Amino acid sequence: MDTISENRSFGGIQGVYRHHSDSCGCPMTFGLYLPPQAATAPVPMLWYLSGLTCTHENAMVKAAAQQHAARAGIALVFPDTSPRGEDVADDKDYDLGQGAGFYVNATQAPWAPHFRMWDYVAEELPRLLDNAFMIDPDRQAITGHSMGGHGALTLAMNLPGRFASVSAFAPIAHPTQSDWGRKQLGAYLGDDESAWAAHDATLLMRESGFGGPVLVDQGNEDQFLDLLKPEALAEAMAARRQPGQFRMQKGYDHSYFFVSTFMGDHVAFHADALGLA
Amino acid sequence: MDTISENRSFGGIQGVYRHHSDSCGCPMTFGLYLPPQAATAPVPMLWYLSGLTCTHENAMVKAAAQQHAARAGIALVFPDTSPRGEDVADDKDYDLGQGAGFYVNATQAPWAPHFRMWDYVAEELPRLLDNAFMIDPDRQAITGHSMGGHGALTLAMNLPGRFASVSAFAPIAHPTQSDWGRKQLGAYLGDDESAWAAHDATLLMRESGFGGPVLVDQGNEDQFLDLLKPEALAEAMAARRQPGQFRMQKGYDHSYFFVSTFMGDHVAFHADALGLA
C-alpha cells in the first residue's frame, strides 16, 4: 500500500492511500481520517460512501466531517466509487461505469471483470484497514450521499450485525423504480430484476429493515427528488416501525453545502450508536 | 450582477455572483455567504482572501467556514485572486498573472490594464456588496490564506479604521525579502522597491502596526516556510508590542486541512472584535 498524502487535520491525520485491489483487479485509492484518539488505541470507524462522479476526495475536502470525527474519536473512511483505469470498462454517461459503481458486484459484460464494489467495500477494504490502521473492526457505522446513501443503506441491511447504525444524505432510495437505478442495475446485474432487490433500500426496508437506528436527511429543494424517490423509503421505514428518523430539510439541495450542514448531526448520531460520548 | 448559484448552507445562503469590474476591466466572480441573521438585519462581514492558484471557490468549499459564520451572524465574502479572461495578461508560472494578483494595483506592462486587485478589494467590491446585500459596511474584518494572508494584513494596516480585526493563515509575511514577493512586486510595481513597502506585512507592522487585534496561525510543517518568512512578522509584531497572537501550530502544513482546522478560532476572534457574542 502506498501513501499518497497525509495532512494534519483537527489534531488527527487525513491520509490518502493506494493499493492493489483483488476484488476490482486494479489499483484503488481511498481516504482515511484517523482522529487524535487513534494515536493510543483502536477507534471505531464510520464509512462514508460517495455519490455519482465522485472519487475518494470529494467528501474528504468538502463534507467538513473531520472536526466532528476528531471530537467523537471516530475514524472516517472514504472509498472511491468505482474501479478506474484505462483497461477498466467505462461509459460516455456520468451515471454508468467509472465513478458510478453503485456498490454492486457486476455479473454482466463488459463490467464483470472489475466492477465488484460490493466485495471491495464489504470485504476487502475492511480487512485491509483492520490490518494496517488503529481501527476497531467490531465498532463500525456507515453513511453516504446519493448513490453512496444507497450503498450505505443496502450494505447495512444486507450485513446484519456489521454496522451499529446507518445514515444517509439524499440517498437513491428506490433504484429499482428510478432512472437512477434501472439503467445501472440492468447493466451491471442483467435483466432478471430478482437480482436487483438486494440493492434497493426501500425493498430491503420492507423486507427486513435494519437492526439499529437509521437517520436519513433529504433536502426539499433537491434537484433530483424525482430520481431519489425519498417518499418510498419514508413510507417503508414508517410501515416497518423502523427505529430512526427521516428528516425533510427545508431549502436544501443535493450539494455538499447540504451534506456539510448536517454532517455534525450524523457523526453525533453514529457516535451515540457506537457507545461513544 | 448575475447570480451563478445559491445553495442553502447552515441555514444561510452560499451564493456565487458575477459582475463587470471597472477596476479590473473584466467580469469578476465572487462568493458570498449570508448567515441566517441577514434575513432580518444587516450583518457584519468577514473578508477571506485566497492564495496563489485559487479562485473564489476554494475556501468556499474547503475551509468549513460557513458553520462558524452562521453561529456568529457574520457574512463571508470570497473574492477571486486576480482578473481573468483571454484578453487579460498571464504568465506560464502559477505564481504570476491570473490566479496570482497579490492584491496590488499593477503599474507595469503588461499587467497594468487589468491587475488592479487592490482597488477591487478595497473599494469596488465593498461598494457593490453594500448596495446589493444585507451587509453592515461599518462592521468589517478581514482574513486570508498565504498570498491572501498577505492581502489581508496589508489591506488592514493600510486602511486604518476599515477593519475591526485582521487574521491570517500562513501568510506571505515578508514579500520584499522572498521569492514569493520580489518576483511579483517587481513585475507588477516595477524595480523601484520603495513602491513595494506598502505591500509587505512585516514592513507595515514595523512602521505602523494595526489598530485592532491580530491573529496569525502558521503550521510548523508548512512546506513553504522559507518563502512565507513568518519569523519576520512574528518579530515585528512583538517588537511593536502589537496586541494579538502569533501561533505556531505543531504538525500542520499549508493545505486547507490546516485552514479548516483553525477556521473556528478565527471566526470567533473576529466575532469578538466586531462586538458579537
Side-chain angles (χ1 to χ4, degrees), chain A residues 6-12 14 60-64 66-68 250-253 255 257-258 260-262, chain B residues 6-12 14 60-64 66-68 250-253 255 257-258 260-262:
Chain A
E6 291 186 329
N7 299 87
R8 177 120 358 219
S9 170
F10 292 94
Q14 177 61 61
M60 199 182 96
V61 300
K62 298 200 293 186
Q66 290 91 350
Q67 60 187 297
H68 308 296
K250 183 176 177 183
Y252 287 87
D253 58 30
S255 71
F257 294 110
F258 159 66
S260 60
T261 295
F262 298 104
Chain B
E6 290 186 328
N7 299 87
R8 174 111 13 210
S9 171
F10 291 94
Q14 178 62 62
M60 199 182 98
V61 299
K62 298 201 295 186
Q66 291 90 351
Q67 60 188 295
H68 308 296
K250 184 176 177 183
Y252 287 88
D253 58 28
S255 71
F257 294 111
F258 159 65
S260 60
T261 295
F262 299 104

Side-chain angles (χ1 to χ4, degrees), chain B residues 141-213:
Chain B
I142 191 164
T143 187
H145 173 228
S146 197
M147 177 183 74
H150 146 77
L153 290 163
T154 55
L155 279 154
M157 287 188 272
N158 277 303
L159 299 169
R162 172 76 63 93
F163 302 104
S165 45
V166 61
S167 74
F169 301 85
I172 296 178
H174 198 14
T176 62
Q177 300 301 321
S178 166
D179 287 342
W180 271 358
R182 296 188 61 82
K183 170 183 174 178
Q184 296 84 356
L185 296 174
Y188 295 143
L189 304 180
D191 293 336
D192 177 4
E193 297 192 19
S194 68
W196 302 3
H199 300 285
D200 183 303
T202 293
L203 298 181
L204 289 165
M205 182 58 69
R206 288 181 190 156
E207 183 71 24
S208 59
F210 178 67

Side-chain angles (χ1 to χ4, degrees), chain A residues 103-276:
Chain A
Y103 307 100
V104 301
N105 290 333
T107 57
Q108 306 297 306
W111 312 109
H114 296 285
F115 282 75
R116 302 187 62 82
M117 286 301 291
W118 181 274
D119 280 358
Y120 178 66
V121 171
E123 303 301 336
E124 182 177 4
L125 188 52
R127 266 200 310 275
L128 183 151
L129 294 171
D130 183 25
N131 289 334
F133 297 99
M134 282 286 258
I135 297 294
D136 179 355
D138 294 331
R139 292 185 293 165
Q140 296 186 49
I142 192 165
T143 186
H145 173 227
S146 196
M147 177 182 73
H150 147 78
L153 290 163
T154 56
L155 278 154
M157 286 187 274
N158 278 302
L159 299 170
R162 171 77 64 93
F163 302 103
S165 44
V166 61
S167 74
F169 301 86
I172 296 177
H174 199 13
T176 63
Q177 300 300 322
S178 167
D179 288 342
W180 270 358
R182 296 188 61 82
K183 169 183 175 178
Q184 295 85 356
L185 295 174
Y188 294 142
L189 304 179
D191 293 337
D192 177 4
E193 297 192 18
S194 68
W196 302 4
H199 300 285
D200 184 303
T202 293
L203 297 182
L204 289 165
M205 182 58 68
R206 287 181 191 155
E207 184 69 27
S208 60
F210 178 67
V214 177
L215 171 61
V216 178
D217 272 317
Q218 172 64 58
N220 81 337
E221 298 201 4
D222 192 311
Q223 55 271 51
F224 302 113
L225 277 166
D226 290 349
L227 291 160
L228 299 169
K229 303 201 176 300
E231 59 281 359
L233 179 60
E235 194 276 341
M237 285 172 66
R240 168 155 297 280
R241 320 305 191 226
Q242 170 67 50
Q245 300 175 65
F246 182 99
R247 310 193 303 188
M248 186 61 71
Q249 301 287 5
K250 183 176 177 183
Y252 287 87
D253 58 30
H254 201 66
S255 71
Y256 268 91
F257 294 110
F258 159 66
V259 173
S260 60
T261 295
F262 298 104
M263 182 56 77
D265 287 358
H266 284 241
V267 174
F269 161 79
H270 292 293
D272 187 56
L274 290 162
L276 301 164

